[in-house]
Amino acid sequence: MLAYVYVGLLSVVLTFPVCFSVICKQSYDPSRYIGKARVPVDCKPEPLGCPRSWKGGVPEISSDSSNAFDEMVDTKFLHCHEGFTTCGYVPINETNGQVLGHSGVTIGAGIDLGTKTRTSFVGLLNDIVQKLAPYFGLQKGEAACAIIQNPLRLSHEEATSTTNVIKIQTLKWVQSRYDQDKKADAKKFDSLPRGIRTAIVSVWFQFGFPPKYPKFWGHVTRNEWEKAVNELRNFYSNPKDQARGDLRRRSHEADIIEAALSNCTSSLDLVFLLDESGSVGAINFQKSLDFVRRVIGSFPEENLRGENGTRFGLSTFSSSYSTKFHLYNFTNQLGYSSAITRVRYSGGGTKLGSALGRVLTDQFSERRGLRPKADGLPRILVVLTDGRSGDDVSTPAKTVRDNEITIYAVGVAGYDLEQLKEIVPSDQHVITLDSFSKLDAFVSMITSSACYEPRASGSNETITTNVKKGSFKYFSYKVNPEKNLEVSVDDLVGSTMVYASRTTPHPYKYDHDYKFEQASQKDKVIVIRGNASSPRPKRSTGNNLQPIYIAVTSDTDSAKFAIVANECDPSVCVEGTNERPVHRSGSSKNYSKFPWVFLLGSIAGLLNNYH
């Protein structure tokens, strides 16, 4: 009898192996990992091709219709902020080596095994669960010690399967809880824009159930989106003590909510150039026109009026080029909508290169409604095409861009991706889709991308403009990597703060290379190196100019300022700012003891003005 019992128990053990937590031979020593972001240090996230900014939001449809989660939530946004690894790691504070919060061993797209049990992975292959099980429930130093001594490795497929189980589970929880808590007049979860659903799931994915973020949850369940955005941008009571990645993530969540609302109040000059060649066809051409109508309709009526209102132009191309309306023709939605209704399809060949040359002189002309460069308004051209052009597009596109016009290329169905990339300033200015029927899903992305597009600006070009508190004016410059860029901002009315970056098109207080936050100083100068990797880069060929992005915001209700930038030799203008220290009442620091600080600040200001 005992033998039968023994055999029975043995068979159970063999069928359902018992996994025990990893026992550490010695405790985790944080001092050994100062300067590192995670342990083990050789566990690196996979490259994901994440955008430099999320101001454009996320598309309303998924690129993978077979994935139930991705239909509702943008997986790329989640992966870009959680990272994706096939190895287990524990995130740590770079300054002291301590484990961040109560983190456990993390794998896949931010799956923290410290908060998981076997029941968390119902539906996952048992072989994978067995690999994960030793790390269930381990947190902080115990988790760090365990993963260092016993590394966890999964295949890409295993890590993806692990992530998908948790993502689907999380989505079900979020949807159920939201629909339960929402106010009567609020939309159901599945009726919210995909960008808003993504932001909500992202917060839940990081923090868990809503009691940990009651203010944000209250705003979203009441559909108070402006308040929800403000809460995300001011999420932490002590932001200085928070990891930069978390601060940026909250800001990006706010960005995709704003983008999903498609309510642009910026001023710009935007021209559409639509393909009406024979391969497009009358039905698809009408869908292109509907797309234009919806983008224009995303701009408030009051934002179309006056000298500073947003203006739109529309041209088409096939074998020939045709203008339907210019930038100065209309100042209200009815005018634009009626003009679009009158457009007729003609057909023909595809000569985009020729059309790019024509649109530059025809639409982007002050006599046709284009505002002067000194006004500082973004100039944008949106090209929509379904195939390969029969002529050269690279040369005329460069000429357009050299005139400080930013090009977006929307390729549909039979597009040529490499040719689209020849047109635009960066790969992030290309949008591709497989059907004209999906154009509507990208209205908010095009609208928001255009709305926040930095003003392409030239060297020695002085721009005078205004900015309101809580908003930004963005500028982009191209600089030789051997040179520095000196940016001067003079406050004419009110006070500003300035941020500079080599990487993000929309720098701000939590994402920048240089900042100038002393708003009371009216003359602000930032000098930033053209190449981040080395002060002595290889000689430029002239084709590898580096972008530098500048953002200006107001510290007062509104501000008027003048901005100008110039390339300069690093031996003459040194990287840094001319920010001068100011004694603040009640401060524990007494700058009067250090008069040389003021002297150096004054000298720096003079040098910056006279080199």
Side-chain angles (χ1 to χ4, degrees):
M1 183 67 179
L2 288 174
Y4 285 111
V5 172
Y6 175 78
V7 171
L9 289 173
L10 181 61
S11 66
V12 170
V13 172
L14 291 174
T15 306
F16 301 102
V18 178
C19 288
F20 300 95
S21 294
V22 177
I23 299 175
C24 292
K25 296 178 181 178
Q26 59 186 43
S27 60
Y28 172 66
D29 180 4
S31 65
R32 296 180 58 189
Y33 299 97
I34 292 175
K36 308 299 181 182
R38 61 181 61 82
V39 291
V41 295
D42 62 346
C43 180
K44 307 294 184 184
E46 293 188 355
L48 297 170
C50 298
R52 294 172 298 178
S53 170
W54 290 93
K55 286 286 188 183
V58 302
E60 276 301 309
I61 57 173
S62 165
S63 58
D64 181 8
S65 59
S66 65
N67 187 321
F69 180 87
D70 207 42
E71 281 286 291
M72 296 284 282
V73 174
D74 190 76
T75 293
K76 186 170 186 177
F77 181 89
L78 206 60
H79 285 197
C80 282
H81 291 87
E82 291 287 349
F84 187 88
T85 65
T86 57
C87 49
Y89 70 93
V90 174
I92 60 175
N93 189 319
E94 294 185 40
T95 59
N96 56 25
Q98 295 285 351
V99 174
L100 292 176
H102 291 79
S103 297
V105 174
T106 302
I107 199 162
I111 308 303
D112 187 341
L113 302 180
T115 61
K116 302 294 185 288
T117 65
R118 281 181 173 275
T119 57
S120 305
F121 295 97
V122 174
L124 187 64
L125 289 175
N126 192 56
D127 287 349
I128 304 176
V129 177
Q130 291 304 116
K131 295 179 181 180
L132 306 176
Y135 307 93
F136 291 161
L138 300 183
Q139 295 181 330
K140 303 182 74 172
E142 191 178 15
C145 142
I147 198 64
I148 291 171
Q149 294 183 23
N150 298 275
L152 171 62
R153 300 278 178 179
L154 298 181
S155 68
H156 187 277
E157 184 179 359
E158 289 173 331
T160 299
S161 297
T162 301
T163 300
N164 286 343
V165 168
I166 299 301
K167 286 196 303 187
I168 293 296
Q169 183 184 96
T170 301
L171 178 60
K172 289 179 179 178
W173 286 342
V174 174
Q175 184 166 5
S176 175
R177 181 63 179 266
Y178 172 91
D179 287 340
Q180 172 188 317
D181 292 353
K182 79 175 187 67
K183 302 307 176 185
D185 57 345
K187 292 183 178 180
K188 293 187 66 176
F189 187 78
D190 59 9
S191 297
L192 296 174
R194 188 164 176 259
I196 293 179
R197 293 196 300 259
T198 299
I200 295 172
V201 170
S202 175
V203 173
W204 185 301
F205 209 84
Q206 185 171 5
F207 296 105
F209 288 88
K212 295 184 178 180
Y213 42 93
K215 289 184 180 179
F216 175 71
W217 190 254
H219 294 319
V220 300
T221 52
R222 290 190 292 270
N223 289 185
E224 298 170 343
W225 304 122
E226 187 174 334
K227 291 181 179 179
V229 166
N230 186 62
E231 175 63 17
L232 287 171
R233 298 203 191 282
N234 300 277
F235 197 81
Y236 300 100
S237 56
N238 295 300
K240 290 183 179 180
D241 299 331
Q242 197 64 35
R244 278 296 176 94
D246 288 343
L247 295 169
R248 292 170 184 167
R249 181 170 180 168
R250 301 289 85 80
S251 180
H252 293 163
E253 289 158 353
D255 287 343
I256 64 174
I257 290 177
E258 287 184 323
L261 299 175
S262 296
N263 186 29
C264 181
T265 57
S266 297
S267 296
L268 54 145
D269 290 334
L270 193 159
V271 174
F272 296 93
L273 182 59
L274 304 185
D275 187 344
E276 62 169 339
S277 61
S279 58
V280 173
I283 294 176
N284 286 333
F285 183 66
Q286 184 58 52
K287 292 176 181 177
S288 299
L289 292 174
D290 291 340
F291 168 74
V292 171
R293 182 184 280 107
R294 285 200 61 193
V295 171
I296 294 176
S298 299
F299 288 75
E301 183 82 32
E302 61 272 16
N303 203 49
L304 305 180
R305 305 190 191 105
E307 285 298 312
N308 295 320
T310 289
R311 299 177 183 179
F312 298 97
L314 173 62
S315 296
T316 61
F317 73 95
S318 55
S319 303
S320 58
Y321 168 89
S322 175
T323 292
K324 307 307 177 184
F325 53 83
H326 290 101
L327 291 166
Y328 62 13
N329 282 137
F330 306 108
T331 57
N332 56 62
Q333 294 289 352
L334 179 60
Y336 286 117
S337 183
S338 298
I340 292 170
T341 300
R342 292 192 295 269
V343 176
R344 296 292 178 264
Y345 171 70
S346 65
T350 307
K351 291 193 175 181
L352 175 56
S354 174
L356 288 169
R358 291 288 305 279
V359 78
L360 176 61
T361 56
D362 174 52
Q363 288 278 18
F364 291 97
S365 164
E366 288 188 31
R367 64 188 179 88
R368 296 288 174 79
L370 183 72
R371 265 70 66 92
K373 288 184 177 181
D375 287 358
L377 300 183
R379 300 169 168 189
I380 297 171
L381 174 64
V382 176
V383 176
L384 195 157
T385 182
D386 81 326
R388 180 174 178 80
S389 180
D391 58 356
D392 171 58
V393 299
S394 180
T395 302
K398 183 179 184 303
T399 303
V400 171
R401 297 195 305 271
D402 286 347
N403 277 270
E404 300 173 12
I405 299 164
T406 301
I407 304 176
Y408 282 85
V410 181
V412 187
Y415 59 85
D416 184 312
L417 182 58
E418 292 307 311
Q419 193 171 67
L420 295 180
K421 290 180 179 180
E422 292 180 35
I423 298 171
V424 297
S426 77
D427 290 355
Q428 292 189 24
H429 288 78
V430 176
I431 293 175
T432 58
L433 50 157
D434 57 19
S435 167
F436 281 88
S437 299
K438 295 181 178 179
L439 275 171
D440 276 359
F442 289 84
V443 167
S444 63
M445 283 197 74
I446 284 291
T447 301
S448 294
S449 296
C451 188
Y452 296 107
E453 181 64 39
R455 166 65 158 83
S457 309
S459 185
N460 297 310
E461 176 187 342
T462 300
I463 293 173
T464 302
T465 187
N466 302 283
V467 63
K468 295 179 180 179
K469 190 170 187 176
S471 63
F472 286 83
K473 285 293 178 72
Y474 300 104
F475 306 88
S476 67
Y477 299 89
K478 291 294 181 71
V479 59
N480 187 313
E482 297 176 25
K483 302 290 186 179
N484 287 355
L485 185 74
E486 181 189 74
V487 182
S488 299
V489 175
D490 290 323
D491 294 344
L492 306 177
V493 178
S495 303
T496 64
M497 295 183 291
V498 186
Y499 302 91
S501 174
R502 301 180 190 89
T503 53
T504 175
H506 307 104
Y508 69 112
K509 62 181 177 179
Y510 299 133
D511 194 358
H512 59 265
D513 290 312
Y514 276 95
K515 65 179 180 179
F516 202 122
E517 293 183 326
Q518 189 170 293
S520 60
Q521 185 174 326
K522 299 299 183 182
D523 59 320
K524 302 173 172 70
V525 177
I526 292 178
V527 178
I528 183 169
R529 194 166 65 239
N531 188 302
S533 59
S534 170
R536 295 181 180 274
K538 295 180 180 179
R539 181 169 296 278
S540 171
T541 63
N543 296 320
N544 60 340
L545 298 179
Q546 301 298 311
I548 299 293
Y549 303 102
I550 306 297
V552 182
T553 188
S554 179
D555 186 56
T556 48
D557 288 341
S558 63
K560 182 178 182 180
F561 65 94
I563 181 171
V564 63
N566 305 281
E567 270 192 0
C568 57
D569 193 296
S571 64
V572 178
C573 62
V574 181
E575 193 172 34
T577 78
N578 73 332
E579 193 166 1
R580 297 185 286 273
V582 174
H583 172 63
R584 302 182 187 279
S585 177
S587 170
S588 61
K589 295 181 180 179
N590 185 358
Y591 289 110
S592 63
K593 294 181 180 179
F594 306 102
W596 54 270
V597 172
F598 292 98
L599 179 61
L600 287 177
S602 300
I603 292 173
L606 289 171
L607 289 175
N608 276 312
N609 287 329
Y610 288 100
H611 61 62

